[in-house]
């Protein structure tokens, strides 16, 4: 397996651990890379939804600006992580396709 793909998978697992989803959970279930990506996409969706919810509460005067900034920063971090993993996987795929048969 390509080292770039392994690096991408390791980076993804580390990011899951930071988000609380836990790479250990995924490893213990024996799921593959596809399940990790699916989990990351759902975590991203949840983070963006939470940021939108807190923003709406702030507009209604029911939330602090600190909460809004924190939620948006979290959603931004999760989205950047997904984008980085996607870019790494695409790069690894392109490198594999350039290999001679």
């Amino acid at each position: 397996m390509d080292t770039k793909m392994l690096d991408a998978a390791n980076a993804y697992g580390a990011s899951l651990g930071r988000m609380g989803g836990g790479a250990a959970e995924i490893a213990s279930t024996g799921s593959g890379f596809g399940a990790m990506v699916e989990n990351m996409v759902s975590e991203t969706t949840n983070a963006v939804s939470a940021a939108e919810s807190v923003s709406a509460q702030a507009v209604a005067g029911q939330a602090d600006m600190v909460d809004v900034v924190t939620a948006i920063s979290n959603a931004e971090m999760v989205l950047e992580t997904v984008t980085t993993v996607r870019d790494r996987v695409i790069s690894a795929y392109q490198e594999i396709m350039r290999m001679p048969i």
Side-chain angles (χ1 to χ4, degrees), residues 19-93:
M19 287 185 1
E25 275 181 34
I26 292 171
S28 68
T29 61
S31 300
F33 184 74
M36 289 191 320
V37 171
E38 184 178 336
N39 187 25
M40 187 63 164
V41 169
S42 68
E43 290 287 334
T44 303
T45 303
N46 293 342
V48 171
S49 295
E52 289 175 353
S53 175
V54 172
S55 296
Q57 289 174 355
V59 169
Q62 299 172 348
D64 238 0
M65 284 306 287
V66 173
D67 296 334
V68 173
V69 171
T70 303
I72 290 173
S73 294
N74 183 44
E76 199 171 53
M77 181 200 63
V78 171
L79 188 58
E80 285 177 13
T81 303
V82 168
T83 303
T84 302
V85 170
R86 180 206 62 194
D87 292 345
R88 288 291 206 79
V89 168
I90 289 172
S91 175
Y93 174 77

